Amino acid sequence: TEFILQGLTQDRTVAKVCCLLFSLFYTTTILGNLLIIVTVRTSDQLNSPMYFFLSSLSLIDISYATVSAPKLIHDLLVEEKTISFTGCMAQVFGTHFFGCTEVFLLMAMAYDRCVAICSPLHYPSVVSPRLCRCLVASSVLGGLVHSLLQTLLVLQLPFCGPKNGLDHYFCDVHPLLALACADTRAVTVTVAISSGVVVLGCFTVLAVSYGVILAALRTRSAQGQLKALSTCSSHILAVLLFFGPCVFVHLRPSVTLPADKVVSVFYTIIAPMLNPFIYTLRNRDVKSGVSRLWSRALQR
């Protein structure tokens, strides 16, 4: 009926320091991504597809961090880190839903940059508002299908105890498979294929997209190359920050390693927190939009 999360650390002093840090990280994630969403929605200068995708990414980041961060912060302050069976399955679903949706959304953003740089004259007609909505909806649908598959695979397993301790700070598929009192080999293979296809497939598409962009830039002037690369560098950094840890966790046999908990922090908490900074610090339009929003707020 319930699981016990072993959390990040058993040291009470370290736990209190981590609680303070992750509370700061989570607050920054919420405020930073909300600022991006409000700025894009209220600024007439930020009405291009790139900023529509950016505001959608911010919404996903808020949701993704909320799945695990509040529970982690709470558990760092208590002795009994329990979670109900229903709550655990909800975490499995939420983690894979928002995580996979973000993967597909990053792929849509790469397509947007590829068309903008390789075919600038056709960009307005190709990447239309309707296509943008379809790409975001497809990302959500893809995340839903993936997360339902992962969750249903776990739900059909028997958890009969007495062992119910998860060596993690949130419920994920790999730690749960270790607790099932049944043969999980078929489920393990299915989970590995499902996660591997999504992570490796999307990463390959992203790599090819930026390979095409770099090839197209060879014919541009030095100034044109710098301008194009400046718009892509933020996205590339966000992709590496998110995909690096995901590849480590999901593209290997379904076993739980001690490093998994630390690595998972990067794509569940750190990446959603850093994305607003990555996209605003290198983007003059977003910084101008934030300044105008701040000026209007002060005038009121």
Side-chain angles (χ1 to χ4, degrees):
T1 59
E2 68 178 15
F3 297 98
I4 299 174
L5 300 171
Q6 295 184 14
L8 283 175
T9 178
Q10 301 301 319
D11 188 303
R12 299 305 304 162
T13 303
V14 175
K16 290 178 181 178
V17 174
C18 287
C19 179
L20 180 63
L21 282 176
F22 289 126
S23 297
L24 179 62
F25 290 168
Y26 182 59
T27 302
T28 304
T29 299
I30 300 297
L31 296 179
N33 284 289
L34 277 176
L35 180 62
I36 294 291
I37 294 171
V38 174
T39 301
V40 172
R41 301 294 182 184
T42 58
S43 177
D44 294 333
Q45 286 76 24
L46 302 178
N47 58 2
S48 68
M50 181 175 71
Y51 299 113
F52 173 74
F53 289 127
L54 179 57
S55 64
S56 301
L57 179 66
S58 293
L59 181 60
I60 294 298
D61 278 336
I62 290 173
S63 305
Y64 191 33
T66 301
V67 172
S68 58
K71 176 64 176 170
L72 170 61
I73 293 166
H74 171 268
D75 286 348
L76 286 167
L77 295 176
V78 299
E79 293 287 342
E80 287 290 325
K81 303 173 179 61
T82 59
I83 185 171
S84 67
F85 183 87
T86 302
C88 189
M89 294 304 109
Q91 270 199 336
V92 172
F93 176 83
T95 300
H96 284 271
F97 173 60
F98 293 114
C100 191
T101 300
E102 179 153 344
V103 167
F104 290 134
L105 190 57
L106 288 171
M107 197 162 56
M109 293 171 74
Y111 170 75
D112 170 68
R113 291 298 85 207
C114 188
V115 177
I117 292 171
C118 299
S119 302
L121 296 179
H122 299 97
Y123 177 70
S125 59
V126 174
V127 188
S128 62
R130 184 175 181 273
L131 178 63
C132 292
R133 291 191 294 269
C134 288
L135 288 174
V136 172
S138 299
S139 299
V140 173
L141 181 60
L144 179 62
V145 171
H146 171 76
S147 58
L148 281 175
L149 174 62
Q150 300 282 311
T151 308
L152 290 175
L153 286 171
V154 175
L155 277 172
Q156 52 120 9
L157 294 173
F159 296 97
C160 47
K163 187 180 177 182
N164 67 337
L166 280 174
D167 188 18
H168 218 306
Y169 64 88
F170 68 94
C171 288
D172 203 1
V173 176
H174 290 180
L176 285 168
L177 289 177
L179 298 181
C181 22
D183 187 355
T184 61
R185 284 177 292 182
V187 176
T188 297
V189 172
T190 306
V191 166
I193 292 174
S194 173
S195 298
V197 166
V198 170
V199 175
L200 189 59
C202 292
F203 187 76
T204 302
V205 171
L206 287 166
V208 170
S209 298
Y210 282 101
V212 172
I213 289 173
L214 291 175
L217 290 178
R218 293 170 61 185
T219 60
R220 303 282 182 88
S221 64
Q223 185 178 0
Q225 290 177 353
L226 287 174
K227 183 178 179 181
L229 288 174
S230 68
T231 63
C232 295
S233 58
S234 299
H235 188 251
I236 293 173
L237 182 58
V239 167
L240 292 176
L241 189 65
F242 187 81
F243 270 92
C246 280
V247 168
F248 175 83
V249 173
H250 295 291
L251 290 187
R252 57 176 170 79
S254 185
V255 292
T256 302
L257 300 178
D260 282 359
K261 290 187 285 187
V262 177
V263 173
S264 297
V265 168
F266 281 91
Y267 65 83
T268 59
I269 297 175
I270 303 297
M273 177 189 69
L274 291 181
N275 278 345
F277 297 100
I278 291 171
Y279 284 103
T280 55
L281 293 178
R282 298 180 61 86
N283 190 303
R284 288 184 301 175
D285 293 335
V286 175
K287 287 191 288 187
S288 298
V290 171
S291 298
R292 288 192 296 270
L293 181 66
W294 183 251
S295 299
R296 289 199 298 267
L298 290 177
Q299 290 173 1
R300 294 177 182 178

